[in-house]
Amino acid sequence: MLRIDSGGGSALASDLMWREILKTTEEDSANVKPLVASMSNIAASGGYYIACQADKIMASPSTITGSIGVIAGRPNMSGLKNKLGIHSDGIKYGKHSDLYSDSDLWDDEERGILRDGIFHVYGKFLKRVADGRDALDSLAVHEVAIGKVWSGTRAKTLNLIDEIGNLSDAVKLTAKIAGINHLDYKIDEYPKREKKSDFSFGKNNSGI
């Protein structure tokens, strides 16, 4: 079971985690396992990306989910640097090797490069979701995507998740899918918490 509480982040990191889930659920033929994604308070953007390949997705009624979209950019600090008297020089190899430098504005060609990159990653995101969600194809995913966010309850009606439930419900569902009786497993919680010692006050340790 994969517990998710994330508003997203790096597209590369999300894709690497998605890849491991794909291997777990489909590609590792010698060790395929059923996998349930359990969404906590938020599972949006990259948080949803890593969930979409799971066999089942479960969320709470109020879980912020979806936000299937891509955003990219970088600040232009040239005005601030000039005001502070900061100047920088550099050596670059390749016409656009300084694309993400914060020292100037993008020209039209550079904006086009960024736009093409966003469309490429967004298209991959749609395909990942469509491949993982049997009830949705790429066009259907696009209708609920482009950055829109949904509650867990609404996400279920849109087929973005399968079940409404909490962490305990997700554990039970995982065991059921794996064919494990609820009496045949136990849960270890990490990180382990040290047991607090009993305190007594006073020099003679006799308490109050």
Side-chain angles (χ1 to χ4, degrees):
M1 190 198 75
L2 176 65
R3 182 67 166 172
I4 301 170
D5 189 7
S6 171
S10 164
L12 175 59
S14 300
D15 203 51
L16 290 173
M17 286 184 271
W18 171 89
R19 172 68 179 161
E20 291 303 313
I21 294 169
L22 179 69
K23 288 163 64 177
T24 299
T25 56
E26 290 187 12
E27 291 192 348
D28 187 359
S29 58
N31 198 27
V32 167
K33 301 180 184 70
L35 191 144
V36 173
S38 171
M39 295 176 169
S40 183
N41 294 326
I42 181 169
S45 192
Y48 187 80
Y49 193 111
I50 65 175
C52 63
Q53 183 58 39
D55 295 295
K56 295 290 183 181
I57 302 177
M58 182 173 283
S60 298
S62 60
T63 299
I64 298 172
T65 188
S67 191
I68 300 168
V70 181
I71 186 171
R74 55 94 165 149
N76 170 32
M77 306 294 290
S78 58
L80 177 61
K81 288 180 177 180
N82 287 335
K83 185 176 292 187
L84 297 175
I86 299 173
H87 304 281
S88 59
D89 292 308
I91 299 173
K92 72 175 187 176
Y93 297 91
K95 184 178 180 181
H96 298 296
S97 59
D98 60 348
L99 182 66
Y100 286 98
S101 167
D102 63 358
S103 297
D104 55 21
L105 290 171
W106 280 318
D107 59 28
D108 289 341
E109 184 178 4
E110 289 171 328
R111 290 178 184 275
I113 291 171
L114 183 71
R115 183 170 56 250
D116 291 344
I118 290 173
F119 287 159
H120 172 74
V121 176
Y122 180 63
K124 180 184 287 188
F125 200 163
L126 295 183
K127 187 177 187 309
R128 295 280 191 260
V129 177
D131 289 346
R133 305 296 298 159
D134 294 336
L136 297 171
D137 59 23
S138 292
L139 290 177
V141 175
H142 178 66
E143 290 296 318
V144 297
I146 51 177
K148 298 173 184 175
V149 294
W150 312 95
S151 69
T153 301
R154 186 76 173 105
K156 186 176 186 303
T157 67
L158 297 173
N159 295 312
L160 290 172
I161 70 167
D162 298 292
E163 303 286 347
I164 296 293
N166 57 25
L167 177 59
S168 177
D169 296 324
V171 172
K172 293 175 183 177
L173 178 61
T174 305
K176 180 180 178 181
I177 293 174
I180 301 172
N181 187 285
H182 72 282
L183 299 175
D184 295 333
Y185 68 86
K186 66 176 183 177
I187 299 172
D188 280 336
E189 295 187 6
Y190 292 90
K192 296 290 187 180
R193 291 180 172 84
E194 293 183 7
K195 184 178 179 180
K196 294 182 178 179
S197 300
D198 293 329
F199 286 96
S200 60
F201 297 91
K203 292 182 179 180
N204 60 3
N205 293 323
S206 61
I208 295 178

